[in-house]
Amino acid sequence: MFNNYTRVKMNEYEKLLIDNREWANRQVAKDCDFFTRLAGIQTPEFLWIGCSDSRVPADRITATQPGEIFVHRNIANMVVHTDLNMLSVLQYAVEVLKVKHIIVCGHYGCGGVNAAMTQHSFGIINKWLRNIKDVYRLHKDEVDSLPTEEERLDKMIEINVKEQVMNLAKTSIVQSAWKHDNRPDLHGWVYGLKNGIINPVFELPANSPIDPFYLYDNL
Ligand code: CO
């Protein structure tokens, strides 16, 4: 019994390695310089901040190739101003890769946003969801005016994406690049799990006016 169980588990993860070999072979068959070219340099024009949800893979849903999108994912595609991981990705993308666009992409039916709208405790993740609860508190009237739970969740998901785009604009990293290089443009999108379509819900082009409360004057 134990051996059989082990065998099945091995096959499951081994399949990934086998599929990887096949994929790499197909890439080289299509374009023999593919990996040597990519190994030398990456020049993505986009930073993608998305949800960790396995159904929302940044490159698959945008039909982009390796090298085209720099990706950061976390639960509910949050831009939290004390998150060293996100800030490190942001700084590298903006200052070294010099991306032209940053996309915050949420998705309808997001479990993270849904959890934050309940009063359940989920342990450690409560700390992360707190950031979404704060968004809910700010927009509670607009969200709660909608008749169904699904509509309220979808509205919160759109509003959350917009708030995270605005959080990007509140960073000195983005403000400095806006001032000195007139980029990146910021985009808020929401992906539909049911139809595969991305809904653009918010845009903040470089040097858009933002709340002076968050504006740095010495960058
Ligand atoms: Co999600």
Side-chain angles (χ1 to χ4, degrees), residues 16 27 64 86 92 109 123 134 154 158 161 178 186 210 219:
L16 301 183
Q27 291 298 125
T64 44
M86 181 280 298
Y92 189 76
D134 293 342
D154 286 352
E158 291 173 357
V161 156
W178 277 10
L186 311 180
I210 68 162
L219 295 173

Side-chain angles (χ1 to χ4, degrees), residues 50-53 55-56 74-77 106-113:
C51 184
S52 296
D53 193 303
R55 298 164 294 180
V56 196
N74 61 42
I75 290 173
N77 41 271
H107 64 100
Y108 294 113
C110 183
V113 176

Side-chain angles (χ1 to χ4, degrees), residues 61-86:
I61 65 174
T62 55
T64 44
Q65 296 301 312
E68 290 189 81
I69 304 192
F70 199 62
V71 174
H72 176 79
R73 289 168 71 178
N74 61 42
I75 290 173
N77 41 271
M78 301 300 288
V79 176
V80 177
H81 72 100
T82 52
D83 177 1
L84 194 58
N85 186 352
M86 181 280 298

Side-chain angles (χ1 to χ4, degrees), residues 103-154:
I103 297 151
V104 176
C105 189
H107 64 100
Y108 294 113
C110 183
V113 176
N114 189 42
M117 292 174 78
T118 72
Q119 292 179 297
H120 296 294
S121 170
F122 298 92
I124 278 284
I125 200 177
N126 289 345
K127 276 75 178 155
W128 191 251
L129 300 182
R130 245 298 297 278
N131 298 297
I132 309 172
K133 282 183 185 286
D134 293 342
V135 173
Y136 188 24
R137 176 172 51 80
L138 288 171
H139 301 275
K140 199 171 186 323
D141 291 345
E142 182 186 356
V143 172
D144 285 357
S145 69
L146 294 167
T148 70
E149 202 172 311
E150 191 181 1
E151 284 170 286
R152 290 194 289 275
L153 175 59
D154 286 352

